Amino acid sequence: MSHSDYPPGYDESRGPLYGGNYPQPPAYGIPGYGGPHPGQPSAPYPTDPNTPLYSGQPGGYPGGGYPGGGYPGGPYPGQPYPGGPPGSGYPNPPPMPPLVPPTMPSDVLSSGDGFAARGSGWDSVRVRHAFIRKVYLVLASQLIVTTAIVSVFTFVKPVGDFVRENPALYWVSYAVYFITHIVLVCCTGPRRKHPWNLLLLLLFTLALSYMTGTIASYYDTKVVYLAIAITAIVCICVTVFCFQTKVDFTKCQGLFCVLGIVVFVTGIISAIVLSFKYVLWLHMLYAALGTIVFTLFLAYHTQLLIGNRKYSISEDEYVFAALSLYVDIIQIFIFLLQIIGAARK
């Protein structure tokens, strides 16, 4: 083999291999080791997640880089607002529902064996019917006030922003709610003395309405609509069932006492755990348990109101009866709101 058969040598002083008409080959490796690509910004990269990295690249979505204002700058559809801490994967949850055990009657019960069940006199039936109408009139007034406040907090954006940015007001209303609840349940004098009983009930209603509106302001409007609709259907079905069924829930006072303790203790544990780290399944477990327990308590309190079972509420305790039903309905709404909001993530 002659010397001319070997490939030509490479001399760096002569430029690129096989002549100078070809460009220098690119460096090996991923971009960044061989030099920046055309249009790529030099380090450090921009800190704003919405700033384009390359020329011609569209900017990020407003509110955190996800369609619909998702994490971290805005809520998912139906999810709490605002965004959660980095790395959590979930937005910040709203405040915990009121941690007060369901209302259990003590000295307001009277035997109702003879009322309307064994042909009692018309006077007793008329008094009980007047009592039922009075209780539901007070209850309707309470629900109207709560619905109005929830609507304002949900649909008026400045009001919703204000209550979310001032959580101290939520805890003030929580204190008012707790104190008035204890006074109305445990103290016979203020509960029966007019007009102090109505004033305390009004204060109680406003405090719980503010808390409910604050929690609702963390959720999407469609979620609030759906929770209201489901709550109304559940309450109507439970009420009709209690008027028609032969099952006597008033005989199960021990069972309802245990259920009240269980939901109260579970709520305390959930509040402590969720204050350190948000655990979605724990939140949903507590919400599901609360929905079931307060639905059962709604049936129990409704039968106490009707008066044709073993136990009934005295005709003088219309404030206590309205308060019991009102708390059950609002708690069902709050728990359903949290379940539906999480399901729409």
Side-chain angles (χ1 to χ4, degrees):
M1 180 180 294
S2 62
H3 181 74
S4 60
D5 294 334
Y6 289 96
Y10 180 73
D11 188 356
E12 294 182 357
S13 62
R14 297 182 180 180
L17 188 64
Y18 302 114
N21 297 327
Y22 298 95
Q24 185 73 17
Y28 296 102
I30 61 174
Y33 287 95
H37 283 180
Q40 177 183 1
S42 59
Y45 295 106
T47 57
D48 187 0
N50 295 325
T51 303
L53 292 179
Y54 300 94
S55 58
Q57 177 187 4
Y61 292 99
Y66 293 90
Y71 173 84
Y76 294 105
Q79 280 297 303
Y81 177 92
S88 64
Y90 298 100
N92 282 334
M96 290 292 292
L99 296 178
V100 173
T103 306
M104 286 295 297
S106 56
D107 60 332
V108 297
L109 292 179
S110 62
S111 177
D113 292 334
F115 170 72
R118 297 186 302 179
S120 59
W122 169 249
D123 289 340
S124 300
V125 176
R126 185 176 58 184
V127 170
R128 176 57 63 167
H129 287 175
F131 171 69
I132 294 174
R133 287 194 299 268
K134 190 174 186 179
V135 169
Y136 277 111
L137 180 62
V138 175
L139 176 63
S141 303
Q142 291 177 284
L143 294 177
I144 289 174
V145 172
T146 304
T147 303
I149 293 178
V150 170
S151 301
V152 171
F153 285 19
T154 304
F155 298 112
V156 182
K157 188 177 183 300
V159 177
D161 295 339
F162 175 80
V163 297
R164 286 193 298 268
E165 294 170 359
N166 295 273
L169 295 178
Y170 177 87
W171 297 111
V172 171
S173 63
Y174 198 118
V176 174
Y177 159 81
F178 184 85
I179 294 174
T180 53
H181 193 190
I182 296 300
V183 171
L184 288 173
V185 172
C186 301
C187 301
T188 306
R191 188 175 64 236
R192 293 188 177 184
K193 189 174 182 180
H194 184 81
W196 296 108
N197 53 359
L198 294 180
L199 293 177
L200 287 173
L201 186 63
L202 176 61
L203 189 60
F204 172 84
T205 303
L206 292 176
L208 185 54
S209 298
Y210 183 90
M211 297 169 62
T212 306
T214 302
I215 296 175
S217 67
Y218 282 78
Y219 292 90
D220 186 73
T221 305
K222 296 180 180 179
V223 175
V224 178
Y225 273 137
L226 189 57
I228 292 176
I230 296 177
T231 303
I233 294 174
V234 169
C235 294
I236 293 174
C237 292
V238 169
T239 303
V240 173
F241 174 78
C242 291
F243 273 90
Q244 299 295 328
T245 185
K246 295 182 179 180
V247 179
D248 190 358
F249 291 101
T250 65
K251 294 180 179 180
C252 307
Q253 294 189 50
L255 173 63
F256 283 100
C257 183
V258 171
L259 290 177
I261 295 174
V262 168
V263 72
F264 181 60
V265 173
T266 305
I268 294 177
I269 296 175
S270 301
I272 295 174
V273 173
L274 297 179
S275 63
F276 291 98
K277 181 180 180 181
Y278 182 68
V279 182
L280 179 63
W281 67 265
L282 179 61
H283 194 175
M284 293 303 100
L285 177 64
Y286 172 58
L289 178 63
T291 303
I292 296 173
V293 170
F294 277 96
T295 302
L296 293 175
F297 265 94
L298 178 62
Y300 172 67
H301 290 138
T302 301
Q303 286 196 343
L304 289 177
L305 171 66
I306 296 173
N308 58 351
R309 297 296 188 266
K310 181 178 181 179
Y311 295 102
S312 61
I313 298 180
S314 172
E315 288 83 356
D316 298 327
E317 297 290 352
Y318 66 94
V319 170
F320 181 90
L323 179 144
S324 303
L325 296 175
Y326 174 70
V327 170
D328 295 338
I329 294 173
I330 296 303
Q331 289 282 19
I332 291 172
F333 167 73
I334 292 176
F335 285 124
L336 285 175
L337 188 65
Q338 297 176 75
I339 295 174
I340 299 172
R344 285 178 56 86
K345 179 188 171 196

